[in-house]
Amino acid sequence: MSLSTDPAAQVTGPVAALIAAGRQLVEAGLSPGSSGNVSVRDGDRVLISGTGTSLGRLTPDGIAEVSLDGTHLGGARSSKETPLHTAFYRREDGYRAVVHVHSPHAVALACLAPWAAHNAVPPLTPYFVMRVGQAPLLPYRHPGDPALGDDLLAAPWPLRAALLANHGAVVAGASLDEAVDRATELEEACRIALLTAGSERRELASDRIRELADRWGSPWTPEP
């Protein structure tokens, strides 16, 4: 297929949505080079960006189709991080899109000790609590290790985002727009955490966090 300057112009449906989401992530500075991957669930199949694909230049030929257990069904060779994506879909049926990025501030915060066991990111702004909720730090694994998906499935807290130690971030949503928005908000929360590191920070009070989480339906586990 010959493509115009707009790679989503000649396709529709979930393929077009994936292409647009990839471009949005690159334009926001969240997916440098050929890093990162994005997927969308379409019934019992998952469409995911292919391995080594630059999300800003994603085309229909660069998209793979896999089953919910990761079996390749067609298209490009699927991303090595496919187990991470399918784990989110298997963890909660309501998720329809997953974004995994190596955005700089998320990677930097993932190289530090977490704020708490259930959340790597200190609760400094209401928007992080409202739009993302807690984002635990998962153990380090080599990129592409299927155990990344196992760790996500086994996490004992409710979540729709996580940091991967020394690696990046993974975020899920009910739509691609929601997943991209959450990835953007998580990156901003990580940036603010790094900007305020070493200072006497004023974190949100636990009762305020609970109010926000309850009002917006965000996952948040109270500290013991």
Side-chain angles (χ1 to χ4, degrees):
M1 174 185 296
S2 95
L3 295 170
S4 70
T5 54
D6 181 350
Q10 300 180 26
V11 292
T12 58
V15 171
L18 271 179
I19 291 171
R23 186 173 52 201
Q24 187 176 351
L25 290 166
V26 170
E27 290 173 351
L30 303 187
S31 181
S34 61
S35 68
N37 29 80
V38 59
S39 71
V40 62
R41 180 175 175 178
D42 184 26
D44 290 333
R45 65 175 185 156
V46 175
L47 301 179
I48 185 168
S49 53
T51 186
T53 302
S54 170
L55 294 185
R57 298 192 297 273
L58 191 59
T59 69
D61 290 341
I63 294 173
E65 179 182 349
V66 301
S67 67
L68 288 175
D69 66 4
T71 301
H72 186 263
L73 302 176
R77 185 158 63 98
S78 61
S79 167
K80 63 180 177 294
E81 304 293 10
T82 295
L84 193 57
H85 290 250
T86 57
F88 246 137
Y89 297 127
R90 287 185 289 142
R91 182 182 171 99
E92 188 168 325
D93 189 60
Y95 292 140
R96 287 295 180 271
V98 174
V99 168
H100 166 51
V101 289
H102 304 163
S103 50
H105 298 100
V107 171
L109 200 66
C111 294
L112 303 178
W115 176 76
H118 67 286
N119 183 28
V121 186
L124 297 173
T125 73
Y127 309 104
F128 169 64
V129 177
M130 291 158 49
R131 297 172 181 167
V132 181
Q134 62 196 16
L137 181 70
L138 301 184
Y140 175 78
R141 308 280 188 184
H142 291 323
D145 188 334
L148 285 166
D150 297 336
D151 292 337
L152 185 58
L153 279 171
W157 315 280
L159 59 90
R160 51 197 186 192
L163 294 187
L164 311 175
N166 304 83
H167 184 161
V170 61
V171 181
S175 67
L176 273 166
D177 284 344
E178 188 173 71
V180 169
D181 286 347
R182 283 182 182 155
T184 303
E185 187 61 46
L186 178 56
E187 173 70 0
E188 179 66 4
C190 292
R191 186 180 75 88
I192 292 170
L194 292 166
L195 283 172
T196 57
S199 301
E200 188 176 348
R201 291 194 287 219
R202 186 174 62 251
E203 298 172 356
L204 295 176
S206 58
D207 60 334
R208 297 298 190 182
I209 294 172
R210 186 73 268 155
E211 289 172 6
L212 288 167
D214 289 346
R215 179 177 179 182
W216 293 88
S218 305
W220 197 275
T221 300
E223 291 184 81

